[in-house]
Structure formats: structure tokens, C-alpha cells
Amino acid sequence: MGFLRGILLVLLLVPWPVAGHADNGADDRLVRLSAPAELVETGLLKHILPRFSLKHQIRVRLVGSGAPADMVLGDSGVALFQGLGRSWRMELTSPEHRGSRKLADWLTSEVGLRTVTGFAPGGAALFTAPEDSGATAVAQEFDGDPARGHAVARGQCARCHRVDDESRMSGIGSTPSFAVLRSLDDWQERFSGFYTLNPHPSFTTLTGVTPPFPGNRPPPIHPVVLTPEDLGAVLAYVAGMVPADLGAPLVHQ
């Protein structure tokens, strides 16, 4: 009995985690973002946030006006971009939050700004750089395994794309090769968000980022299933490629 009393005493004295309260490490991997419906309805955040999450493994959750938020997009703070007849700014309400600082750094970087200004539903860009832009160029880092990326590209992408010299006889003739895509100024954005660009959404899933295909609506062809680590490896592989020499710039008649 004395032994059991001792066990009960220990259980009573040890602080147990309370349901619904994450530790600081978990909180740092989730950013609560508040933005007006006017901005959300454009689809911009749905376009840019998965790209940030893929790179940094930090989730971003949109919260309603007045709800606790780590970052607010609106009229106050650092200028991010212009659009919809106004300047959009970013205010960090939790400056000590590491995930929020990561998102802020990305939004004010050259890569983040290019991702925003590259959002062009219907072919027309909705947003431009701010007049008082504080965006600074940052070197993009690719910490994936290029060898793994090469293997993933050969296994998953070569059915449509020429991914290396050895696969030059495979793929679809009208589909650009990886070397051609690598020569484009926005190649990083194209590869990082390829699963959102047609025709990929109809047969591609990115584990933990895109929803699985419904059981009653399977993809029309054998699906491409990648993890974020797979995609990071492909980016590292493509970063090390020699871009194709396309000669003189295209001239539109």
C-alpha cells in the first residue's frame, strides 16, 4: 500500500500537459495570419502560402478579423505589394514568434515578391511591387539531395519531360525539357509550385500539402505522388543543371 501511495503522490505532483496547448516548438511551426476578405478572395494567399510552407515546413492558418493572429495584412506596417487600388502592408503582432519572422523574411525577399507579382489569374497580374519597397535580394538555398532529385525526376517526370540527356528520347515533344525550364527567370517558382500549374493538378498530389483524389474521381492517368522532401530534392537537382541555350530572345510579331 505504501508503494501505491507513493505512485499516486508522484502522479499528482508531476505537471501533465493540458489538452489544446502546444509547446513553443510546435507553435513556431504554425503562423496565424489575418487578412481582409478582399485580399483572400483574389486567391493570392492560396497561391503563395503553400510555396512558403513547402520551403520552410511552416504551416500558415488564416484566421478571422479580431481573432488572435501572429501577422496581419492590411494598412499598417511594412509595405509588401500594391494591388486592388491600395498598398498592402504587413504587421507582426508576435515579433518573437520564429515562424512569423520566417514568413516576414520570405514576403519581403526577392523570391517572395516575385511569387506575389507572378500571380496572374486569367493571364493578368493583380499585384505589383510597392512604391516604397523594402524587399531585398536573397540567395535561394537548396538543401535537398540532387541525386535523389534526379532519381525522382527520372521516375515521376520523364513520362512527359526530358529530365536529362539520357531521357532525350522520352517525354512528350511539346513539353519543355527541364533544361529549357531551368533557363527561365522564374524557374524556381515554376518548379516549387508545379503541382498548382495545369495540367498537373489533375494527376498530381503533394503529400501533406494537397488533398488526395476523391475515391469516385480518380486521376485520368497514373498519378504522380511526391512528398515535400521529393520536391526539395528535385529543386536541388534542377538548380545544378546547365540551363539550355535558347539563343536570341523570342520576338513577338
Side-chain angles (χ1 to χ4, degrees):
M1 292 297 293
F3 174 76
L4 291 176
R5 289 194 189 97
I7 293 295
L8 290 173
L9 182 60
V10 170
L11 292 174
L12 290 172
L13 293 177
V14 172
W16 291 89
V18 179
H21 289 267
D23 58 49
N24 291 334
D27 286 342
D28 284 336
R29 312 306 296 180
L30 171 66
V31 178
R32 298 167 300 173
L33 174 65
S34 176
E38 177 188 15
L39 182 63
V40 175
E41 290 168 1
T42 66
L44 174 69
L45 300 180
K46 189 176 180 179
H47 172 76
I48 67 174
L49 294 180
R51 290 159 167 77
F52 164 78
S53 296
L54 177 65
K55 171 64 181 174
H56 296 284
Q57 301 298 297
I58 296 173
R59 293 180 297 124
V60 182
R61 177 187 299 161
L62 288 176
V63 298
S65 177
D70 304 303
M71 177 184 292
V72 177
L73 299 184
D75 298 319
S76 302
V78 177
L80 293 179
F81 48 84
Q82 302 277 137
L84 307 181
R86 59 184 286 188
S87 174
W88 293 92
R89 295 174 174 270
M90 168 195 68
E91 180 180 6
L92 277 179
T93 53
S94 301
E96 74 289 347
H97 188 272
R98 286 182 292 176
S100 300
R101 293 200 304 269
K102 282 277 190 181
L103 178 57
D105 290 343
W106 185 81
L107 285 171
T108 54
S109 72
E110 182 183 19
V111 172
L113 181 59
R114 282 207 312 266
T115 306
V116 170
T117 57
F119 176 62
L126 293 184
F127 301 95
T128 61
E131 295 178 358
D132 52 343
S133 175
T136 57
V138 295
Q140 181 75 315
E141 297 180 359
F142 300 98
D143 49 9
D145 179 0
R148 174 180 173 180
H150 185 199
V152 170
R154 288 294 299 269
Q156 299 281 9
C157 310
R159 71 173 86 166
C160 297
H161 298 271
R162 173 180 168 181
V163 302
D164 54 21
D165 289 340
E166 289 73 26
S167 63
R168 60 184 178 275
M169 301 305 294
S170 64
I172 300 173
S174 59
T175 302
S177 69
F178 273 28
V180 167
L181 293 170
R182 177 64 177 82
S183 71
L184 304 177
D185 291 339
D186 62 346
W187 74 268
Q188 297 176 23
E189 286 74 30
R190 288 175 181 265
F191 276 92
S192 296
F194 87 95
Y195 55 91
T196 68
L197 304 175
N198 286 329
H200 300 102
S202 65
F203 57 84
T204 304
T205 60
L206 190 66
T207 305
V209 177
T210 60
F213 292 107
N216 61 343
R217 292 171 56 193
I221 62 175
H222 185 71
V224 171
V225 180
L226 299 179
T227 66
E229 292 75 17
D230 290 334
L231 184 50
V234 171
L235 279 165
Y237 166 62
V238 176
M241 294 182 68
V242 177
D245 183 0
L246 302 181
L250 295 176
V251 177
H252 297 280
Q253 300 295 326

